[in-house]
Amino acid sequence: MYDIIVVGGGPAGLTAAVYGLRSGKSVFVIEKSVFGGQIVNSPKVENIPGFDSISGDEFAEKFLDQAIKQGAKVTFEEVNGVEKTGEGFTVKTAEGGSYDGRTVILATGTTHRVLGLPGEEELIGNGISFCAVCDGDFYRDKTVVMVGGGNSAFVEANLLADIVSKLIILQDMPYFTADQKLQDQLFGHSNIEAHTGTKVLSYEVQEGRITGVRYSENGEERVAECDGVFLAVGLVPDNKAFTNVAATDQRGYFDAKDDTITMTPGVFVAGDCRAKTLRQVTTACADGAYAAIAACEYLR
């Protein structure tokens, strides 16, 4: 029986672990894919206090190492349910694991949003990608389309611009929403073609391979010929398995205020999975601290 079970090993979950451990509690962290969360895909991060610049992967490694050195137990499993018991909660995983905790902190993060177009699911990992660090080199000296115009899209695009021969950006809004610094960096490259006010209609596919993206711009249909597509159109929460212990809003985010308290005493939520206005590493860490302190107060 752990004092605190943390579901999710991103900045929110790892901060919660550190704060719980420093309060003398036993902490178990369950992560389904990679410790560090979305930040591991960022090759260069410049807005984390205390670091002029650090790669997301290095930051995540330091974070995890800190939690383990302080006594956190960790595992790679996918949690698919939390049940209330007489003494606390049982956390169950898709791999058949079952773990008992007096409190639970849900720091489940988010997943990549897709466009919902025909054939899209089959093309993910086979022409459609989300991570330039992971897949960019597959498109060296080729043409790719980046769908999206926010910070995430421009971070990925800046990486791709140094790899591909041509990068076509399609943004559905009438302007780009990325920070000006990111825009200046990207448009300093000569191989960029950018379009705003667009709507992606379909993927052009021949023999199972993407050959282009059909989109509309100012009422006119066009095709951007390409060898691959990167999607950066936002994130969605992955909270459906936990609605029995934590209410969600219309968009699926946990409906909890800054105190991270849910409708179930002993269950707390933290990070990007929570309904909030700003999703950054710093706000995720703040949530993790709040959740851990709240869990410790509940235990007392």
Side-chain angles (χ1 to χ4, degrees), residues 133-152:
V133 174
C134 313
D135 301 330
D137 205 53
F138 293 124
Y139 300 98
R140 184 170 295 278
D141 300 325
K142 296 182 179 180
T143 298
V144 299
V145 167
M146 168 64 71
V147 182
N151 281 347
S152 296

Side-chain angles (χ1 to χ4, degrees), residues 186-291:
L186 182 63
F187 293 128
H189 293 83
S190 59
N191 59 340
I192 306 300
E193 178 183 319
H195 302 266
T196 58
T198 66
K199 181 180 180 181
V200 176
L201 304 173
S202 64
Y203 300 108
E204 300 287 300
V205 180
Q206 292 184 9
E207 299 179 355
R209 183 176 64 87
I210 286 181
T211 59
V213 173
R214 183 174 296 276
Y215 66 99
S216 63
E217 182 178 6
N218 298 323
E220 180 181 346
E221 281 196 21
R222 301 178 179 179
V223 174
E225 296 182 356
C226 64
D227 302 288
V229 177
F230 283 77
L231 298 180
V233 292
L235 301 168
V236 292
D238 191 14
N239 298 333
K240 292 181 180 179
F242 311 107
T243 54
N244 62 313
V245 293
T248 57
D249 65 11
Q250 291 182 338
R251 297 187 300 159
Y253 289 95
F254 288 128
D255 191 8
K257 298 181 180 179
D258 289 343
D259 59 15
T260 72
I261 295 172
T262 71
M263 66 182 187
T264 304
V267 176
F268 309 88
V269 296
D272 288 0
C273 60
R274 183 176 72 84
K276 57 201 298 186
T277 57
L278 182 63
R279 292 181 171 84
Q280 294 285 302
V281 171
T282 50
T283 62
C285 291
D287 277 6
Y290 268 112

Side-chain angles (χ1 to χ4, degrees), residues 5 9 23 28 32 48 55 67 102 104 114 117 143 165 179 187 207 215 227 249-250 254 281:
I5 294 181
S23 296
F28 184 48
K32 69 177 180 179
I48 297 176
S55 74
R102 294 183 175 88
V104 174
V114 295
L117 298 175
T143 298
S165 61
D179 292 343
F187 293 128
E207 299 179 355
Y215 66 99
D227 302 288
D249 65 11
Q250 291 182 338
F254 288 128
V281 171

